[in-house]
Amino acid sequence: MTPLAITNNDMWGVALIVGLLAALIVAGLLVVLVRAVTDIDNSVRSLLDVAGRVAGNTAHIPQLQATAPVLGQIVDEAVVQDGYMNALTDGYGGVPA
């Protein structure tokens, strides 16, 4: 068997090809990275829009605390209204109450 006869110029060619392949791989990975960052940026922008709408929808929730003290009055009035409705419908249509 004869040893491979690789010259210095051949080694330079191999090194250049390997370097070119590495540069192409890095460029491809950078393109993938830029696309991923763009997708993330678009998602964050849409999330911020939704967050603003949610904040607008929930801005009045603290005002619900004012409802709690009057719930008893609301229940009392509902009982009175129920009594009125029962009085109006007692005996209506021949149906006993």
Side-chain angles (χ1 to χ4, degrees):
M1 270 206 197
T2 60
L4 293 175
I6 298 177
T7 64
N8 201 18
N9 287 339
D10 294 337
M11 291 301 287
W12 273 104
V14 170
L16 288 175
I17 290 172
V18 169
L20 178 64
L21 288 175
L24 289 174
I25 290 171
V26 168
L29 290 174
L30 284 174
V31 167
V32 170
L33 178 64
V34 167
R35 286 184 182 171
V37 168
T38 302
D39 288 343
I40 291 170
D41 187 42
N42 291 336
S43 296
V44 168
R45 286 182 192 197
S46 65
L47 182 63
L48 287 176
D49 291 340
V50 170
R53 289 189 300 235
V54 169
N57 290 338
T58 58
H60 301 293
I61 288 178
Q63 294 175 350
L64 290 175
Q65 292 176 346
T67 307
V70 296
L71 286 178
Q73 294 173 358
I74 292 171
V75 170
D76 292 340
E77 182 63 26
V79 169
V80 169
Q81 294 300 322
D82 185 51
Y84 289 151
M85 294 304 292
N86 286 337
L88 290 173
T89 58
D90 283 346
Y92 179 74
V95 178

